[in-house]
Amino acid sequence: MSVLREESGQNSGKSDKGNYIDGHWCSASNGNTFEHHNPADINDVTGHFPDSPAEDALAAITSAQKAFPAWRGLTAQKRADFLQKALAVIDSRREPFAETITRENGKTLAESHAEIESAIREMEYQIAEGLRAQGEVARSATPGVLAYSMRVPLGVIGVITPWNFPFNVIIRKCTPALISGNTCVIKPASLTPRTGMAAMEAFAEAGLPPGVVNLVIGSGRNVGDALVCDERVKAITFTGSTEVGRGIHERAAKTLTRTQLEMGGKNPLVVLEDADLDAAADAAVLAAYACAGQWCTSTSRVIVVKEIAESFINMLCERVTRLQVGNGMDPNTTIGPVCGAKQFEGILAHIDTAVKQGAKLLCGGHRITAPPLDRGYFIEPTIFSEVTPEMDLGKEEVFGPVLAVMTVEDFEDAIKVANGVRFGLASSLYTTDLKRALRFVEETDVGLTHVNMPTAKKEPMLSFGGVKESGFGIPEAGSTGIEFCTEHKIAYVRYS
């Protein structure tokens, strides 16, 4: 049965059977639900979803723990066969899954399709990675002894995912966990519950045994805390804010639970005087306003040297005026709403603070009140100049369509300003000077850097994670995706 397809109509009624525990779709055990609204039109109720108590998370953990021995006992190829079937489900449902993402998150339909495509590429890579021979053989100092290492699964892994990439991140986190023999309990973001159901539907329809993957919808206070604090959960992989991630790590430390935390960013794009300015402006606008500025790798600061600052700022403003704000379902839309009331109010508060602290508002900066956008969480794409490192806008994450332009004297000053924040996720430099490009790669204090490319660029074959307050633990994706989900086991075998 396809829960998503039965319940994804424009006027869907109550659909509280959104949890998936031990191989069954079910309601919250307490009967509680919450109502979700389309951020592009808050009069559009997308559905009613389980507001699950902690007991439901505990039941899912029990199911996952029970399923673990048999799932671990399968060959990697057999686990891959199940995951390939899930991949086929995703591929066949691109359109309805993308529409679900847009209706819950607000991003454009094109961006939602790109997210589905990215999830497919991530899944393909991690399945293949899981089938590779793992471990190494060493030459023992003792004659007649075979010495080697292997990777073994941890057990139950808690998967806590965000609303900005609600489908891709579930796939990115679950695939390496599952292919390496772990079982999972997923807590999707409450702002995108039906997208979590869509990902779960792919696993369920692939025929994965009951308990191997479970989904529990509910608050972080109830479901999230239950996952983090239960000693049966051997690892937590989390994407979200730095504040929540820090709290997860503190609680998980009490049970020595492994954590993988992908958190906030204040990502700089540095533009030097010798740069291709058109390419740099295109990259800045793309990464600042795609998904309404709600990528963790979004460009939130443009750091430009003084001698070209005025002309470059004019180029940014001209491009921003061409952006078309609207409902993500409209093919003409290039920037949709922000995802929810809390985000909407927080972004407007950041804008207000920036004005009060002396930043110069160049364009945007207001809620859009013209019908029909007045029914949604739409904010004009915004640019501030004359932003200094001491201002909140120069150092704190906004997570919305707001770009801060900071002017510096030279390359040395740019490096200092770029690194002068508590975050360290992504960065980019635009230049034609190879020496400065390589210095930037060495000296930029981030986990993901670029030269002459947008700050958001990533591919599945390399790890993804930040430093400082942007990330903690073994990073996601690439070869480290499976590394996080496994332990080293060493064997010494005397054969003569």
Side-chain angles (χ1 to χ4, degrees), residues 163-246:
W163 47 262
N164 63 330
F165 283 94
F167 192 91
N168 183 35
V169 175
I170 288 178
I171 299 303
R172 183 195 299 163
K173 292 177 183 292
C174 286
T175 305
L178 294 169
I179 190 65
S180 53
N182 302 280
T183 55
C184 296
V185 179
I186 304 165
K187 192 209 92 64
S190 295
L191 284 172
T192 50
R194 195 182 295 282
T195 304
M197 292 167 62
M200 185 66 248
E201 185 177 297
F203 292 124
E205 293 196 17
L208 274 72
V212 171
V213 187
N214 304 269
L215 178 83
V216 185
I217 299 170
S219 68
R221 183 182 300 106
N222 293 329
V223 177
D225 283 358
L227 285 176
V228 171
C229 297
D230 195 305
E231 62 183 7
R232 296 174 296 171
V233 176
K234 300 306 179 185
I236 293 288
T237 175
F238 164 82
T239 297
S241 72
T242 295
E243 289 68 31
V244 173
R246 188 189 298 276

Side-chain angles (χ1 to χ4, degrees), residues 34 126 151-152 156 188-189 274 288 435 467:
F34 66 91
Q126 290 299 329
R151 305 289 298 186
V152 297
V156 179
D274 63 343
K435 180 179 178 180
V467 298

Side-chain angles (χ1 to χ4, degrees), residues 71 78-94 97 116 119-120 123-124 127 167 171 174-175 178 198-208 213:
W71 182 251
K78 183 61 177 176
R79 293 193 293 266
D81 290 343
F82 279 111
L83 293 174
Q84 288 287 1
K85 292 177 183 178
L87 187 60
V89 173
I90 296 169
D91 191 42
S92 69
R93 306 265 179 85
R94 290 172 182 254
F97 285 0
I116 298 293
I120 289 173
M123 195 170 193
E124 288 174 337
I127 291 172
F167 192 91
I171 299 303
C174 286
T175 305
L178 294 169
M200 185 66 248
E201 185 177 297
F203 292 124
E205 293 196 17
L208 274 72
V213 187

Side-chain angles (χ1 to χ4, degrees), residues 35 42 76 104 142 219-220 233 237 245 257 259 264 279 288 334 359 394 416-418 432:
E35 190 172 80
I42 60 174
E104 284 198 319
T142 304
S219 68
V233 176
T237 175
T257 300
T259 58
T334 54
K416 179 180 178 181
V417 172
T432 55

Side-chain angles (χ1 to χ4, degrees), residues 122 125-126 129 172 260 262 425 447-449 457-466 473-484:
E122 297 267 10
Y125 183 87
Q126 290 299 329
E129 188 76 8
R172 183 195 299 163
Q260 178 183 67
E262 198 277 289
L425 182 55
L448 178 70
T449 192
K457 171 68 175 177
K458 73 166 296 293
E459 295 186 27
M461 71 284 192
L462 292 174
S463 300
F464 176 70
I474 299 170
E476 299 177 330
S479 61
T480 55
I482 287 176
E483 182 182 348
F484 171 75

Side-chain angles (χ1 to χ4, degrees), residues 203-318:
F203 292 124
E205 293 196 17
L208 274 72
V212 171
V213 187
N214 304 269
L215 178 83
V216 185
I217 299 170
S219 68
R221 183 182 300 106
N222 293 329
V223 177
D225 283 358
L227 285 176
V228 171
C229 297
D230 195 305
E231 62 183 7
R232 296 174 296 171
V233 176
K234 300 306 179 185
I236 293 288
T237 175
F238 164 82
T239 297
S241 72
T242 295
E243 289 68 31
V244 173
R246 188 189 298 276
I248 286 173
H249 184 64
E250 289 173 353
R251 294 192 297 278
K254 296 178 182 178
T255 53
L256 299 181
T257 300
R258 183 179 296 189
T259 58
Q260 178 183 67
L261 309 175
E262 198 277 289
M263 302 180 288
K266 190 66 180 172
N267 311 303
L269 185 146
V270 175
V271 186
L272 301 183
E273 69 282 355
D274 63 343
D276 180 334
L277 297 188
D278 281 312
D282 289 342
V285 171
L286 169 67
Y289 301 107
C291 299
Q294 296 171 125
W295 287 343
C296 55
T297 53
S298 290
T299 296
S300 57
R301 294 179 292 159
V302 164
I303 300 172
V304 57
V305 294
K306 182 169 61 176
E307 66 184 85
I308 58 166
E310 183 177 356
S311 60
F312 190 71
I313 288 170
N314 290 336
M315 295 170 71
L316 291 176
C317 291
E318 189 274 330

Side-chain angles (χ1 to χ4, degrees), residues 422-442:
R422 62 190 176 105
F423 300 105
L425 182 55
S427 66
S428 181
L429 171 72
Y430 273 76
T431 183
T432 55
D433 184 329
L434 179 61
K435 180 179 178 180
R436 292 193 293 185
L438 293 179
R439 272 197 60 198
F440 182 80
V441 168
E442 290 179 358

